[in-house]
Amino acid sequence: MQTPTLFALLLLLILVAYGTGFRRAVNAARSLGGVRNLAALPSYYGLLTALWCGLPALILLCGWLVFDDSIIRAMVMNSIADKPESISGQNLLYAQIQNLAAGHLIGEKSPQLQSAADYLSQLRSSSNNLQAFLSLVLASGLAAFTLLRFSPKLRAREKVEKVLRTVLIACASAAILTTVGILLSVLFESLRFFQSVPVSEFLFGLHWSPQMALRADQVGSSGAFGAVPLFTGTLMVSAIAMFVAVPVGLMAAIYLAEYASKRVRSLAKPVLEILAGVPTVVYGFFAALTVAPFIRELATSMGLQASSESALAAGLVMGIMIIPFVSSLSDDVINAVPQSLRDGALGLGSTQSETVRKVVIPAALPGIVGGVLLAVSRAIGETMIVVMAAGLAANLTANPLESVTTVTVQIVTLLVGDQEFDSPKTLAAFALGLMLFISTLVLNFIALHVVKKYREQYD
């Protein structure tokens, strides 16, 4: 039985179980003189039966689908006597076996390959039949067991809430474990990189040239992995973007929330948020074809030298892109400040601007800081605009008119191409990702400290 068909059957069983449990509770209530004589509403009896019918079977099916391919692959490869020693060779052989089993392999087929393909088809067929049998038996059996244990005194609501609470905890744990797994995978690959390149060279090196030569006697065969130019470029572009986005976005939010009429607000806010829906590649075109030439010509007219691709162009356009994030989030936070605070300040004789500066903004500051943090994360993670407007050159400079590059752009560049996955050039992407993660974490701690400090002052 195919997996989609099995899912459909399980869904049908769950619906039948819910209806049976609900109808049985209604019948019991009718014989006892009303629903008030049951320990829970009839819908909870139906939900309890449906949960016991569907949840264990779905968990079994999901676990089966996760481990099914790995187990079958191990069994097929163990059945081959002269399989390749290398992992890549085994992957290629198993891909040929899969294609042959699916009927997509064209060319000469050895008896050994045909035998392995037949064995693979047999294992898959047996696996599908067994998973269908176990899932349906488990669902039917547990539904029948729940119905047999039915009693008007059964506290179905508490049991349903307990199951749902367990499901919610499992979902939250899955999100946390996924984050930990991502962090550990980046950490382990970074440690492999630092076995080839010293940490001090990576953190304090001033030259970034990760190109690895194919021969040992080539010039620059060891590459250079000093990440300082990348982090300075990232900070410069992000700082320019935030210098544009934060004041403009925050002032726009204050105007829309405190001064604008309802009609102006209903027109201005959607127009402002249109900027958030523009694809980043369009911003990149705008930066590369309009802003960067304008900055170059303006700098030339002032007697300055500007590169055709500059950090200033990328930062300005990135700031324009981020304005809706800051303004929208800040506007929502400012509107959430209780009106009683404004009325109290105005009643004491404060002007509207004093009320905004001394009451509304301090009250909304935690949310505003959160919005600015999201904007900073967006600026640090933006790649397309930097590629198109700032370039790929890892220059260590403080001049915004020169071309620079950022960490995210280099991560993309390092992972593109046919470079071996265990080479220092590829592993450097994980080291850059780890440093980016640590930087963001430190930024979050600083923001939490700021929020806590101002929240105490306001209270």
Side-chain angles (χ1 to χ4, degrees):
M1 181 183 295
Q2 296 298 319
T3 304
T5 307
L6 180 57
F7 270 110
L9 277 178
L10 283 177
L11 181 60
L12 182 62
L13 272 178
I14 292 170
L15 293 175
V16 170
Y18 176 82
T20 307
F22 181 83
R23 189 169 56 254
R24 188 160 186 178
V26 170
N27 293 334
R30 189 178 297 121
S31 62
L32 292 174
V35 176
R36 63 181 179 278
N37 293 315
L38 296 176
L41 293 173
S43 59
Y44 284 106
Y45 290 97
L47 278 175
L48 184 63
T49 310
L51 286 174
W52 275 107
C53 173
L55 199 57
L58 290 175
I59 293 174
L60 172 67
L61 186 56
C62 291
W64 196 291
L65 293 176
V66 169
F67 297 106
D68 185 35
D69 282 341
S70 302
I71 296 173
I72 290 178
R73 173 186 169 131
M75 294 175 68
V76 171
M77 297 306 293
N78 288 334
S79 68
I80 301 174
D82 54 346
K83 60 185 175 185
E85 294 293 334
S86 64
I87 300 297
S88 59
Q90 292 184 11
N91 291 337
L92 179 61
L93 177 60
Y94 189 68
Q96 291 176 338
I97 294 172
Q98 286 181 308
N99 289 332
L100 182 57
H104 298 154
L105 186 64
I106 301 174
E108 186 178 353
K109 307 163 188 174
S110 66
Q112 185 185 33
L113 201 63
Q114 184 64 52
S115 174
D118 294 340
Y119 187 45
L120 175 62
S121 300
Q122 179 188 351
L123 287 177
R124 283 179 173 173
S125 175
S126 301
S127 174
N128 288 337
N129 292 332
L130 187 58
Q131 76 172 3
F133 175 75
L134 290 178
S135 300
L136 293 176
V137 167
L138 185 64
S140 305
L142 288 177
F145 178 73
T146 308
L147 290 173
L148 288 175
R149 291 182 66 246
F150 174 82
S151 168
K153 296 182 180 179
L154 180 66
R155 297 186 177 277
R157 183 178 65 84
E158 296 178 3
K159 293 184 179 298
V160 168
E161 290 178 350
K162 188 176 180 180
V163 172
L164 293 180
R165 192 182 305 119
T166 305
V167 171
L168 293 177
I169 292 174
C171 292
S173 302
I176 295 172
L177 291 176
T178 302
T179 305
V180 173
I182 292 172
L183 175 61
L184 290 179
S185 64
V186 174
L187 179 62
F188 290 145
E189 297 299 332
S190 301
L191 292 177
R192 291 178 60 194
F193 169 74
F194 289 127
Q195 290 175 355
S196 304
V197 178
V199 179
S200 57
E201 179 183 340
F202 178 75
L203 292 179
F204 304 109
L206 303 180
H207 185 56
W208 177 264
S209 179
Q211 300 301 325
M212 302 294 293
L214 299 178
R215 301 190 313 273
D217 58 345
Q218 266 184 291
V219 177
S221 60
S222 60
F225 295 94
V228 172
L230 306 186
F231 286 105
T232 55
T234 303
L235 291 176
M236 183 187 297
V237 174
S238 301
I240 294 172
M242 300 314 297
F243 183 77
V244 174
V246 172
V248 176
L250 188 56
M251 294 302 165
I254 292 173
Y255 171 73
L256 291 175
E258 298 294 327
Y259 294 100
S261 63
K262 289 185 179 180
R263 183 177 180 184
V264 173
R265 176 184 169 82
S266 63
L267 292 175
K269 189 171 182 180
V271 172
L272 187 62
E273 291 180 347
I274 287 176
L275 290 174
V278 178
T280 56
V281 67
V282 176
Y283 283 109
F285 279 125
F286 177 64
L289 300 180
T290 304
V291 179
F294 173 75
I295 291 176
R296 187 174 62 252
E297 293 175 3
L298 181 63
T300 304
S301 65
M302 298 172 65
L304 301 174
Q305 288 187 346
S307 173
S308 58
E309 296 173 328
S310 63
L312 184 59
L316 288 175
V317 176
M318 194 186 297
I320 295 172
M321 181 189 71
I322 294 173
I323 286 174
F325 287 89
V326 179
S327 64
S328 181
L329 292 173
S330 301
D331 179 62
D332 293 339
V333 172
I334 291 173
N335 277 314
V337 175
Q339 184 63 31
S340 59
L341 296 180
R342 297 181 180 85
D343 296 339
L346 294 171
L348 291 174
S350 301
T351 63
Q352 189 170 4
S353 63
E354 289 173 340
T355 303
V356 171
R357 283 187 291 110
K358 298 184 178 180
V359 176
V360 177
I361 297 299
L365 190 61
I368 293 174
V369 173
V372 172
L373 269 181
L374 285 177
V376 172
S377 301
R378 179 71 187 270
I380 291 176
E382 175 53 37
T383 305
M384 185 61 69
I385 296 176
V386 180
V387 170
M388 299 179 71
L392 299 174
N395 294 325
L396 181 58
T397 177
N399 185 359
L401 298 178
E402 294 185 6
S403 61
V404 297
T405 189
T406 61
V407 173
T408 54
V409 170
Q410 284 302 310
I411 290 176
V412 173
T413 306
L414 292 171
L415 296 178
V416 172
D418 297 331
Q419 190 79 13
E420 293 181 359
F421 204 74
D422 57 350
S423 69
K425 177 184 176 181
T426 307
L427 294 175
F430 294 94
L432 291 174
L434 180 64
M435 295 306 300
L436 206 59
F437 176 82
I438 294 174
S439 304
T440 308
L441 191 64
V442 171
L443 195 63
N444 287 337
F445 276 120
I446 294 173
L448 287 175
H449 175 72
V450 172
V451 170
K452 185 178 179 181
K453 178 181 178 181
Y454 280 90
R455 197 176 261 168
E456 288 177 351
Q457 285 185 353
Y458 176 72
D459 291 338

